[in-house]
Amino acid sequence: MNGRPVQTGANPWVVRWRHVPRPRLRLFCFPYAGGGAAVYREWPALLPEDVEVCAIQPPGRENRSGEPLLDRVEQHLPPLTEVLQAAGDVPYATFGHSLGAMVSFEVVRRLHRAGGRLPTRMFVSGRPAPQIGPSYTPIHELPDDEFCASIVRLNGTDADLFTHPELAAYFVPILRADFAVSERHRHVAGAALPVPVTAYCGAEDPTVSPEVMAGWAEQTSASFALRVLPGDHFFLRSARSPLLADVAHHLRPRPAPAGRSQPVPTSTRKE
């Protein structure tokens, strides 16, 4: 799949790496800070063929590199709400890693308040529950050298990136804008979502522990599952196979028994 042209629809916020003529379900994948749709380039090959992976592409990177960067989550919500609403012809789920977990959560909350169609499941990864929030001191306004050093300490990206001036010149503004989105976000308490949530974290992640990921259980009135996978903050690369095997498991169709409606889970629990 590497080397293929990016497949995009009319909406620049969505990149599809594999065309699925009649998808059973769409999985909208939200990238981490500094990332773009390419983070999920390999995912279609590791998920069921009838699941269409729709990678979210924020402005200012990859095929949208000429567009202004966004530095507040409120700027993401209207266009991304439209993206998920437009998926109403088939069921959909969301996956977000780190910053992407927070953004996807806020988009689904916005849909819920508006009475929109909700995902069948939310996958949140490598991000403390919103009522807990990140534990580090904000860094997005630091001078470049301090900002880059802080990113490396937080395991926010590969340290080698900053040793290449051209790469650093491209990525530092993206990272700064994305960290501003994360650090300016203020959680507002609200009703738990009637959407099952599966949370993932890396066993060696120095900033996101299983305990803070378990806090996501408070954000759902449906079922909750927590998975701890080997690796650090970027376990979605090092533990990609077990991660996607678990995602695929949760995305399998579960038909209701003949003559009976499918029950809606009402209790929060760990599976």
Side-chain angles (χ1 to χ4, degrees):
M1 197 167 294
N2 285 328
R4 286 189 179 183
V6 174
Q7 296 178 338
T8 62
N11 194 315
W13 283 85
V14 178
V15 170
R16 295 174 174 86
W17 296 102
R18 180 184 68 191
H19 176 61
V20 180
R22 294 185 179 182
R24 173 180 56 83
L25 181 142
R26 291 190 176 100
L27 178 64
F28 288 92
C29 298
F30 294 69
Y32 47 77
V39 169
Y40 299 106
R41 179 194 293 264
E42 305 297 335
W43 281 38
L46 297 171
L47 289 171
E49 292 185 356
D50 58 358
V51 172
E52 184 175 57
V53 175
C54 299
I56 297 300
Q57 185 72 290
R61 64 209 75 199
E62 299 174 14
N63 64 310
R64 302 186 70 185
S65 60
E67 300 178 40
L69 293 161
L70 306 182
D71 58 7
R72 295 184 183 275
V73 70
E74 293 80 8
Q75 298 167 312
H76 293 72
L77 300 186
L80 288 174
T81 300
E82 291 182 11
V83 165
L84 297 193
Q85 286 285 63
D89 55 331
V90 296
Y92 71 94
T94 63
F95 181 99
H97 182 72
S98 198
L99 174 65
M102 183 270 282
V103 174
S104 62
F105 169 71
E106 291 296 349
V107 174
V108 173
R109 286 183 101 193
R110 194 172 193 264
L111 277 168
H112 187 223
R113 289 192 296 267
R117 191 179 188 204
L118 299 180
T120 60
R121 181 172 292 268
M122 291 176 56
F123 299 96
V124 293
S125 170
R127 174 83 181 193
Q131 73 275 13
I132 299 173
S135 59
Y136 65 89
T137 302
I139 65 172
H140 73 271
E141 293 184 334
L142 292 176
D144 280 355
D145 56 345
E146 296 179 39
F147 176 73
C148 294
S150 297
I151 291 283
V152 173
R153 284 196 300 271
L154 290 169
N155 193 31
T157 192
D158 189 340
D160 289 342
L161 181 151
F162 299 119
T163 65
H164 301 278
E166 291 184 1
L167 285 176
Y170 174 77
F171 279 107
V172 167
I174 296 173
L175 284 162
R176 190 183 294 280
D178 285 354
F179 269 79
V181 171
S182 177
E183 293 167 359
R184 288 171 173 165
H185 175 252
R186 296 294 179 267
H187 175 65
V188 177
L193 294 168
V195 179
V197 171
T198 302
Y200 300 98
C201 66
E204 291 83 43
D205 190 331
T207 60
V208 184
S209 68
E211 289 74 22
V212 298
M213 288 303 295
W216 280 96
E218 295 181 22
Q219 300 300 329
T220 175
S221 60
S223 63
F224 175 76
L226 173 63
R227 303 282 187 258
V228 181
L229 297 173
D232 58 16
H233 188 64
F234 289 103
F235 66 89
L236 80 168
R237 295 196 295 248
S238 60
R240 186 174 60 185
S241 292
L243 169 63
L244 291 186
D246 195 71
V247 170
H249 165 74
H250 285 295
L251 295 181
R252 288 174 189 158
R254 289 174 170 80
R260 297 177 60 187
S261 60
Q262 184 74 17
V264 178
T266 57
S267 61
T268 300
R269 61 184 176 84
K270 288 187 181 180
E271 297 176 343

